[in-house]
Amino acid sequence: QAPQTCQLICRVANCPPRFRCVAMAGEVVTREKALAAVTLDGWCIENPAYADFRGDRQVVLAAMQRTRHSNDSVLAHAADDLKCDRAFVLEAVQVQGMALHCVTDVLKADREIVLHAVKQNGFALMCADEALKHDCEVVLEAVKQDAQALLYAHDDLKADRDFAFEAVQKHACALRFVASKFRSDRSFVFQAIKETRKGHPLQYAALDVKRDRDFVLQAIGQCHNAFIYAADYEVLANDRDFVLEAVRQQALALKFASAEVQADRAIVSEAVTQNGLALEFASDDLRSDPEIVVEALRQQGQAWQVADASTREAILSDARTDASHVSALEFAAEGLHADSAFMRAALRAHGLSLRDAAESVRGDRELVFEAVRQNCAALEFAASALRADPELQPERVACNCIAGPSAQAPTVQVAAPARMPDGRLEVAVARLDGAAATLTFDGAGTVGELASAVVARFGMRAGLVHLLGLGFVAGPFDVARPLAAP
């Protein structure tokens, strides 16, 4: 039919763009129109109306860019001169690797061109000259892009242990496509899991390897998701003893245990003491258990204390991203997030859990203080009204030795301060075990100075103390309170 009528039929029938006749009857197709057309639909270049532009580099590259994810290449419809032009082909295969299929045999044997092609699409290896299918670097670049590219590598290469191991390092699924002897080699499979930190090598291991319980445990020790590739996975997921040993190797292996095992308190407790984030995979009842949740948070708080500066910065960076799992509190039952008594214990265990606390907790001055005391970076996640509070600034909190309510800290009995003739204050203090001392302060001495002096005098390692006998219950915010009236 005439092009004009054809276009109308195509629009009504909703034909795919590739089959539309895009040139109107009698219309002169300019280079600008051709560029615009192939930018919208690269396959337009098949249309006879664009035949004059099949040798135009820019038009052909634009068409390839638009169809770059296709396994076919519009280069097949380009002028033969372009398919022989090395400079053009080098540029073309970087846009669409499978364009290698359309070029001359000479260029299929060009190592630089093939390298660029397989970097863009690993399957382009199938189009390469046979000699390059023996080339380690070329094949490994293809494998890095897609493990299945190994299907087109030479068998001698796939049977080479060093090459096979390097291929698996490039792509964990490559074990599926190397020589079968490596899938039965426990040492090879284990090293593959260890190096890639992925469980996929076990997925493609020989059946006898996947049935070896001891080997599966070793694999889980390197990567928790190796668990699901065990041959007897469903049996092992219900085996309490196996799962207990698995979570000792990798806490997140709890994810693959059966629902019944995920409700086992002893197993979940073991998992969260290894990695607090394992709480995500505990049963609903255990995620509502305050002791289990605090145990998980304590592990995270301890991990922060021993982390280096770069690790801490990475944790904080994640904490600023809502999608990132930073605190086990995220997986605790919602009812705990606003419970003041629970949150006091939670924040003492892991200050950054403030990020996932209820709004009421983030706006509570005492609770925010506890969070900052455990982790000075927690202040960032407090309610905006508290972030400038002088007593909550990390440097002030670090110098404050007064223990908060119910905190685990030594208790010291304090006698009434006695003013000396020179105006100084003398304060007698005694530990509950009988150890005693007399401390002296200037006339303007404060409760905070007394707490610091007691901690130093008795060598209290945690740096906190409860003070009794002052006539009031001393808390962290009494740090500037005078010991005696002027």
Side-chain angles (χ1 to χ4, degrees):
Q1 298 187 46
Q4 192 168 12
T5 306
C6 183
Q7 282 201 1
L8 176 60
I9 293 172
C10 287
R11 282 196 295 271
V12 172
N14 194 28
C15 292
R18 183 171 178 174
F19 300 105
R20 292 180 189 163
C21 181
V22 295
M24 299 294 289
E27 179 184 1
V28 176
V29 179
T30 64
R31 185 173 184 275
E32 289 69 24
K33 288 182 180 179
L35 267 175
V38 298
T39 299
L40 291 173
D41 173 15
W43 293 107
C44 284
I45 203 165
E46 291 179 293
N47 192 296
Y50 301 102
D52 292 344
F53 303 102
R54 292 174 185 165
D56 186 304
R57 293 168 179 259
Q58 189 176 355
V59 172
V60 174
L61 283 173
M64 292 180 68
Q65 182 67 37
R66 187 71 180 87
T67 60
R68 65 188 180 279
H69 299 302
S70 173
N71 285 329
D72 296 326
S73 176
V74 296
L75 187 61
H77 305 286
D80 290 341
D81 288 350
L82 288 184
K83 300 174 191 177
C84 303
D85 185 323
R86 185 182 186 281
F88 175 80
V89 170
L90 185 60
E91 189 173 359
V93 296
Q94 292 177 65
V95 173
Q96 187 181 42
M98 289 304 293
L100 188 66
H101 176 70
C102 308
V103 305
T104 64
D105 289 345
V106 171
L107 295 181
K108 288 178 182 177
D110 186 307
R111 193 171 186 275
E112 184 182 6
I113 287 175
V114 173
L115 268 173
H116 282 292
V118 298
K119 284 179 181 179
Q120 200 282 327
N121 188 329
F123 280 102
L125 185 65
M126 74 170 77
C127 310
D129 183 83
E130 285 301 314
L132 291 176
K133 294 177 182 178
H134 287 75
D135 188 308
C136 288
E137 184 184 357
V138 171
V139 176
L140 287 173
E141 283 294 344
V143 171
K144 185 177 180 181
Q145 207 281 325
D146 195 312
Q148 293 188 73
L150 273 172
L151 289 169
Y152 308 105
H154 196 278
D155 288 343
D156 289 348
L157 203 56
K158 291 186 282 187
D160 182 277
R161 186 181 183 88
D162 291 338
F163 169 81
F165 190 72
E166 199 168 348
V168 174
Q169 286 181 300
K170 294 286 185 184
H171 200 301
C173 295
L175 184 61
R176 179 182 178 185
F177 305 104
V178 297
S180 60
K181 63 182 179 180
F182 300 123
R183 296 195 282 278
S184 299
D185 186 325
R186 283 169 170 74
S187 174
F188 187 95
V189 176
F190 178 79
Q191 286 300 318
I193 296 170
K194 182 179 179 180
E195 291 296 322
T196 62
R197 292 289 178 182
K198 292 182 179 179
H200 297 91
L202 185 62
Q203 180 181 5
Y204 302 113
L207 187 59
D208 64 312
V209 176
K210 295 196 285 187
R211 280 183 172 159
D212 185 329
R213 289 168 65 108
D214 290 338
F215 182 81
V216 171
L217 278 173
Q218 291 175 33
I220 291 170
Q222 300 302 316
C223 178
H224 69 280
N225 69 8
F227 196 158
I228 59 174
Y229 299 122
D232 302 318
Y233 164 61
E234 291 186 3
V235 174
L236 296 178
N238 282 286
D239 186 321
R240 184 185 181 281
D241 292 337
F242 181 87
V243 175
L244 182 59
E245 188 57 39
V247 298
R248 285 172 177 160
Q249 299 284 333
Q250 277 281 357
L252 298 183
L254 184 65
K255 176 180 181 179
F256 305 109
S258 67
E260 182 180 353
V261 175
Q262 289 175 339
D264 186 305
R265 200 173 196 280
I267 290 176
V268 171
S269 177
E270 180 67 34
V272 298
T273 56
Q274 301 293 328
N275 185 335
L277 294 179
L279 184 67
E280 177 181 3
F281 309 114
S283 66
D284 289 347
D285 285 347
L286 291 177
R287 286 189 283 112
S288 300
D289 186 318
E291 289 185 15
I292 290 288
V293 177
V294 169
E295 205 170 345
L297 292 169
R298 186 174 296 113
Q299 185 280 327
Q300 292 189 289
Q302 291 169 348
W304 172 273
Q305 297 302 328
V306 299
D308 58 28
S310 61
T311 301
R312 289 185 175 188
E313 186 52 44
I315 293 171
L316 282 176
S317 179
D318 286 344
R320 296 173 185 126
T321 305
D322 291 340
S324 299
H325 300 326
V326 172
S327 161
L329 184 63
E330 180 180 349
F331 307 116
E334 282 296 322
L336 294 177
H337 291 215
D339 184 312
S340 295
F342 166 78
M343 285 307 305
R344 191 181 299 277
L347 295 168
R348 284 172 177 164
H350 184 38
L352 287 183
S353 63
L354 184 66
R355 187 199 78 156
D356 298 310
E359 186 177 349
S360 60
V361 172
R362 288 184 279 112
D364 186 309
R365 193 168 182 247
E366 288 189 6
L367 294 179
V368 171
F369 180 91
E370 295 292 353
V372 176
R373 172 170 272 170
Q374 198 284 323
N375 188 322
C376 62
L379 184 60
E380 179 178 344
F381 305 102
S384 56
L386 294 179
R387 291 175 200 159
D389 187 319
E391 295 304 328
L392 295 179
Q393 300 313 302
E395 60 277 7
R396 295 283 286 273
V397 173
C399 296
N400 192 325
C401 296
I402 305 174
S406 71
Q408 291 187 347
T411 298
V412 168
Q413 186 70 39
V414 181
R419 191 171 293 278
M420 296 163 51
D422 61 3
R424 290 183 298 163
L425 295 173
E426 190 174 79
V427 183
V429 296
R431 288 174 46 142
L432 298 184
D433 62 4
T438 300
L439 304 172
T440 304
F441 304 90
D442 64 35
T446 63
V447 175
E449 290 172 342
L450 172 61
S452 296
V454 168
V455 165
R457 176 65 180 80
F458 293 114
M460 296 171 174
R461 287 181 294 177
L464 300 178
V465 63
H466 289 288
L467 300 175
L468 296 182
L470 291 171
F472 59 90
V473 178
F477 294 117
D478 293 311
V479 66
R481 187 167 178 167
L483 281 172

